[in-house]
Amino acid sequence: MSDSLSSSHVQSYLTECPVCSEQFDDAARLPRRMSCCVQCICQPCLQQIYNEEDKTLLCPVSHHKHELHNGVTSLPTEPITSKILDYQKIQRNERVVCTDCPSSNEAIARCEECCVFLCKECRITHDQHRLSRHHRTHTFEEIKGQPIQALRRLHECGHHPQRQEYFCNTCEKIICVSCTVEEHREGAGHMFVPVDKAHQEKSIHVDNMLNQLDEKAVELSQTEQELLHKVDNMHVSALAARQDINKCFEKMLEELQQRKATLLSDVEERTGADVKLTEEILQSTRELLAKVRSSTEYIRQMRSMADNIEDLHLMLSSTPSLNGILAEEPKKVEFVSRGTSFVPANLNNLASTIKVTGMVRSVTYTPTQRPKYVPQKTIYNTITLEPAEVPAGTHLEWDSTVANRDVTVEGTTISNARPDVSPNDTGCRIQSQRCVMASKPLIMKTRRIDMFQVKSRFSLRQKAERNTMLFETALTPSPLDSDWNQLLGFSVSIVACPNHKTKLCVWVRYGKLVTDLPLFKNEVGMSCELHWNFLLDGNTQKIHVINVGDGNTFSTVSNVLLNTPLWVLMYVSLPSTSEMTGELISGHNIDKKGHMFEL
């Protein structure tokens, strides 16, 4: 333990009440230790917040509720604080009262054996008395040059007029030699050891506990920073959503102003709820972090001022509290990031959809169970959009507010070229590279047929490595933010196929590999345009994939779930591998060549 401590630090941290900032003393502001936060609060402050009706007290530091049926005075006092105050008075040449003098004269010395302060007259008597004339006394000037541990206290047994020299391991109490032959005798099953040995053993345990609290403080600090980042993302995303809304509505007439106000209100409502929840968790984390830091620092500083017996008392009384703090866990948020985005849906059909144009939604990324082959450190989160439904409209379009920052989105077309100006990371964007999703899902329903088309153009800049996915269009009920293919739902991808070693193939997956169709050679300079039609037949619960060029169906999957939102996602390759664009075609823009409608 440290032998010395700066006066200002001692005064501010160990000798002042954290509530009123007044200095403790043994008369007007007696320090009482709280078991929840192992800190002292002065008795007057505790009396003010003590509830006489239900006999409870809410700790102003940790906010823990205590039941004190015998009032504030039932809380233990802190003798180490009194010793610190006495030591400070001596160092500052302040008046110290003689311990035994009936006239309360000013003390000038202290007896090391009796542990009492002596005025000039009492010192003369003390030095001449036959029982104390051989005691060692020190003047205050001599004490100033000594560490605080030299200011010893007389630790007497509460049951016998003898010094506390032993520790009963059975009862966890400090006892005297008479106690060892009476209520704490070995014959009654008690085990006791000398105080110094008990102090050594307890010190190891408490030091380990304090080290664990240091580690916990580091973890809580990291959690605090993560929560701050999430809150910042929410504010940034809300700002971006407002900007998008304003940009869209600037093009509209006066009739759109009411809709604009509604959407802005939705942003505030959703963002407010999200931020409030996360900030509450952030606050609870800060409170726990503050408790961990203050408790750890408090115990260390108190111990640095204590002798072995005082330290042992302190460790005995504070260990349950420290264990309790160690056991406390901060609340957690279940998502990786969450933000609010504005979806500029149906702008191409503005004339017919003006009254329901645009929407505000929350975009949440939540960790989900990953396959064994997906490394733990890679991104793998479920994407949830609330609400999912977009107001009426027949056109599909990319949601540029959710698109990964590495793709360029222009209307219904994306490319793997990086944007000239990188968009803001609002917390709503997909983190896995070069991925984008549609602004609304498709829902297969009985007696209904839906379709959309995908046109992909690419030119290979280098040979694709085996098992590399160059392109994917997926229809999934649970979209994933992942660098791997979409596992759930329906997926059509272009892959450097391990089964056809020199070929790039089309893979169709629906729970398993359904189609493996070779396309062309996997070699530099190869260029291709693919134009596929996706037909969702609610009557037969099938999805057909049709080559628009020749009208032939090259894959069909069955037993597709009805009334389930299916999100359209697209992934494009690295720019170093190929130059690639992907176009989403829907509504009246669909190419109706071939025999696809005979289905």
Side-chain angles (χ1 to χ4, degrees):
M1 292 182 292
S2 174
D3 289 338
S4 62
L5 188 68
S6 69
S7 177
S8 60
H9 196 170
V10 171
Q11 180 178 359
S12 62
Y13 201 80
L14 303 180
T15 62
E16 287 184 359
C17 173
V19 178
C20 64
S21 299
E22 295 291 337
Q23 191 173 72
F24 294 122
D25 60 58
D26 292 332
R29 296 198 174 274
L30 191 65
R32 300 250 175 213
R33 179 139 48 85
M34 305 299 297
S35 60
C36 55
C37 59
V38 296
Q39 293 196 62
C40 287
I41 299 171
C42 73
Q43 185 166 315
C45 286
L46 293 175
Q47 292 287 7
Q48 291 179 9
I49 59 177
Y50 179 65
N51 191 323
E52 292 285 354
E53 294 183 1
D54 59 3
K55 306 297 182 183
T56 60
L57 184 145
L58 187 66
C59 176
V61 176
S62 69
H63 305 295
H64 178 78
K65 192 174 184 179
H66 297 264
E67 292 185 2
L68 301 177
H69 298 293
N70 295 323
V72 171
T73 56
S74 63
L75 292 170
T77 59
E78 184 51 84
I80 301 177
T81 299
S82 299
K83 183 172 81 170
I84 296 171
L85 292 171
D86 288 338
Y87 185 74
Q88 284 185 333
K89 288 179 180 178
I90 294 173
Q91 298 296 324
R92 298 170 182 168
N93 296 321
E94 295 178 3
R95 188 175 189 272
V96 179
V97 177
C98 179
T99 303
D100 297 326
C101 183
S103 302
S104 298
N105 291 332
E106 182 175 356
I108 61 167
R110 192 172 189 272
C111 176
E112 186 175 327
E113 274 73 32
C114 300
C115 300
V116 296
F117 291 110
L118 302 169
C119 65
K120 184 177 180 180
E121 291 76 9
C122 288
R123 184 185 182 188
I124 294 173
T125 303
H126 186 274
D127 290 343
Q128 294 176 348
H129 196 280
R130 65 182 183 83
L131 296 178
S132 58
R133 62 188 178 187
H134 298 298
H135 288 189
R136 289 176 294 177
T137 59
H138 298 284
T139 65
F140 285 175
E141 289 300 320
E142 292 173 334
I143 293 174
K144 286 181 182 180
Q146 299 175 346
I148 191 171
Q149 286 83 356
L151 208 67
R152 296 191 311 108
R153 295 176 63 243
L154 190 63
H155 302 285
E156 289 189 340
C157 177
H159 302 287
H160 308 97
Q162 292 178 311
R163 295 193 177 193
Q164 294 174 318
E165 297 177 327
Y166 295 93
F167 177 74
C168 178
N169 285 318
T170 307
C171 302
E172 292 272 308
K173 290 183 178 180
I174 305 173
I175 58 177
C176 69
V177 66
S178 295
C179 293
T180 64
V181 295
E182 294 180 5
E183 60 266 32
H184 296 276
R185 64 185 182 278
E186 288 184 335
H190 290 258
M191 299 293 294
F192 54 86
V193 295
V195 161
D196 288 342
K197 183 177 180 181
H199 177 266
Q200 184 180 10
E201 293 173 350
K202 290 291 182 182
S203 291
I204 295 173
H205 175 69
V206 173
D207 286 340
N208 288 335
M209 190 181 302
L210 292 173
N211 289 333
Q212 292 176 39
L213 285 169
D214 286 336
E215 294 174 0
K216 185 167 185 174
V218 172
E219 295 175 358
L220 289 171
S221 296
Q222 293 173 347
T223 301
E224 178 190 26
Q225 293 304 313
E226 292 170 359
L227 290 169
L228 281 171
H229 179 67
K230 291 174 182 178
V231 171
D232 289 342
N233 271 349
M234 292 176 189
H235 287 300
V236 170
S237 67
L239 176 61
R242 296 186 194 101
Q243 292 172 342
D244 289 342
I245 292 170
N246 289 326
K247 181 179 179 180
C248 291
F249 278 88
E250 284 173 0
K251 302 177 181 179
M252 298 182 183
L253 302 176
E254 186 177 356
E255 289 81 4
L256 292 175
Q257 295 305 314
Q258 185 175 359
R259 179 66 177 165
K260 174 183 175 182
T262 300
L263 291 170
L264 290 173
S265 175
D266 287 348
V267 171
E268 300 301 330
E269 180 180 348
R270 289 184 175 276
T271 304
D274 294 342
V275 171
K276 180 181 179 182
L277 173 62
T278 310
E279 286 183 335
E280 287 176 353
I281 297 175
L282 173 62
Q283 181 60 30
S284 69
T285 301
R286 283 175 168 169
E287 290 175 357
L288 181 54
L289 174 60
K291 184 194 294 187
V292 170
R293 284 175 171 169
S294 62
S295 301
T296 304
E297 182 66 15
Y298 184 87
I299 290 298
R300 283 201 173 99
Q301 299 302 338
M302 278 296 188
R303 293 188 65 207
S304 71
M305 307 298 156
D307 58 30
N308 286 355
I309 294 180
E310 291 168 342
D311 196 22
L312 187 56
H313 272 298
L314 178 62
M315 290 187 291
L316 288 172
S317 61
S318 60
T319 296
S321 301
L322 295 175
N323 280 324
I325 297 172
L326 270 175
E328 286 188 56
E329 292 293 336
K331 298 178 182 178
K332 297 180 180 179
V333 291
E334 300 299 326
F335 51 82
V336 174
S337 67
R338 183 181 180 94
T340 308
S341 71
F342 169 68
V343 182
N346 299 315
L347 286 178
N348 293 333
N349 289 340
L350 182 59
S352 60
T353 59
I354 191 170
K355 293 184 179 179
V356 288
T357 295
M359 66 177 297
V360 173
R361 65 159 53 125
S362 297
V363 184
T364 304
Y365 295 84
T366 308
T368 187
Q369 185 175 1
R370 63 184 64 209
K372 293 181 180 179
Y373 58 82
V374 178
Q376 288 295 324
K377 293 185 178 180
T378 59
I379 299 169
Y380 204 81
N381 303 311
T382 299
I383 308 172
T384 305
L385 299 97
E386 300 171 333
E389 288 289 349
V390 171
T394 58
H395 286 267
L396 287 174
E397 49 197 357
W398 298 124
D399 186 349
S400 59
T401 65
V402 175
N404 176 259
R405 301 170 69 189
D406 290 335
V407 297
T408 298
V409 182
E410 296 182 359
T412 59
T413 302
I414 69 167
S415 74
N416 62 351
R418 288 185 62 88
D420 294 334
V421 179
S422 182
N424 291 330
D425 185 2
T426 62
C428 298
R429 296 191 177 278
I430 296 172
Q431 297 300 305
S432 53
Q433 295 184 345
R434 300 172 306 285
C435 189
V436 67
M437 63 190 298
S439 61
K440 69 176 183 179
L442 295 171
I443 301 177
M444 285 186 62
K445 296 183 179 180
T446 306
R447 298 187 298 276
R448 176 174 167 177
I449 295 177
D450 289 309
M451 72 172 69
F452 69 94
Q453 294 179 352
V454 169
K455 185 179 289 187
S456 174
R457 303 176 183 87
F458 63 93
S459 175
L460 284 180
R461 290 172 170 163
Q462 66 180 33
K463 183 178 179 180
E465 296 183 5
R466 184 181 180 185
N467 271 334
T468 299
M469 183 175 68
L470 301 180
F471 176 84
E472 180 185 34
T473 298
L475 275 166
T476 173
S478 181
L480 287 172
D481 182 7
S482 170
D483 291 328
W484 300 76
N485 63 292
Q486 298 292 320
L487 292 183
L488 297 178
F490 180 74
S491 168
V492 180
S493 56
I494 300 173
V495 180
C497 181
N499 301 321
H500 305 88
K501 297 182 180 179
T502 62
K503 298 285 187 178
L504 294 179
C505 299
V506 176
W507 279 8
V508 180
R509 290 178 174 273
Y510 188 61
K512 62 180 180 179
L513 185 62
V514 177
T515 302
D516 182 357
L517 179 66
L519 286 178
F520 41 76
K521 288 185 177 181
N522 180 9
E523 58 184 29
V524 176
M526 177 60 68
S527 298
C528 184
E529 177 177 297
L530 301 174
H531 193 176
W532 298 327
N533 188 86
F534 293 79
L535 191 148
L536 287 67
D537 189 345
N539 295 315
T540 60
Q541 291 183 248
K542 294 181 179 181
I543 297 179
H544 305 278
V545 186
I546 304 162
N547 187 338
V548 176
D550 58 18
N552 292 325
T553 301
F554 65 83
S555 188
T556 298
V557 297
S558 304
N559 301 318
V560 180
L561 295 176
L562 295 174
N563 303 314
T564 300
L566 298 174
W567 294 90
V568 181
L569 282 87
M570 184 176 287
Y571 164 87
V572 290
S573 71
L574 280 166
S576 59
T577 303
S578 70
E579 180 181 356
M580 180 172 290
T581 61
E583 183 181 0
L584 185 61
I585 305 169
S586 61
H588 62 269
N589 295 318
I590 286 180
D591 190 337
K592 302 179 178 61
K593 295 178 182 178
H595 306 286
M596 67 186 73
F597 294 102
E598 295 178 4
L599 291 169

